[in-house]
Amino acid sequence: FPAAELPCLDAVGLLSVDGEHLAVLLVNRHPEQRIETELEPAGFAPSDRAEVQVLGAARYSERNTWYAPDHVKPFVEHRPVREGRLRIAVPPHSVCVVVFKRASGALA
């Protein structure tokens, strides 16, 4: 169970060397609850779509085995960015990488 004083959602932002891509890593450590959040990158004008890569499983206790190697696996989806913001529900016990691309014509 998560400690009451510790957040269940951790976030880290990484900017590419050329300033064209921003990756936000989200880790939901809660074993059962998805966490809804909104990302609004300050000083970075994202395009209207973001790539979301999620590594997780249907249940907290899932494990990959030799005979069942796909219980925990990544999946990718593309999500709309509206007015520079992305709403996302981070699945329980998962790692997400959200990749924003700078909007065309936006200054770095």
Side-chain angles (χ1 to χ4, degrees):
F1 297 95
E5 65 277 2
L6 297 175
C8 289
L9 187 64
D10 292 320
V12 175
L14 304 163
L15 186 63
S16 65
V17 175
D18 63 5
E20 292 299 309
H21 295 87
L22 174 66
V24 179
L25 286 72
L26 301 169
V27 179
N28 181 352
R29 293 180 291 105
H30 198 286
E32 299 170 349
Q33 292 180 354
R34 72 181 187 162
I35 297 176
E36 294 192 23
T37 190
E38 185 173 81
L39 301 176
E40 182 178 4
F44 185 90
S47 66
D48 62 351
R49 298 194 66 71
E51 180 180 276
V52 179
Q53 301 174 34
V54 180
L55 176 63
R59 294 188 313 251
Y60 175 76
S61 61
E62 292 285 356
R63 303 283 187 266
N64 289 346
T65 66
W66 181 264
Y67 297 105
D70 291 327
H71 286 291
V72 180
K73 62 183 178 182
F75 65 89
V76 177
E77 62 183 16
H78 292 86
R79 305 285 311 266
V81 176
R82 294 188 177 99
E83 298 178 5
R85 293 186 216 109
L86 173 70
R87 291 203 50 80
I88 184 170
V90 184
H93 201 247
S94 68
V95 177
C96 294
V97 179
V98 178
V99 179
F100 295 101
K101 184 176 180 183
R102 186 175 300 279
S104 298
L107 299 175

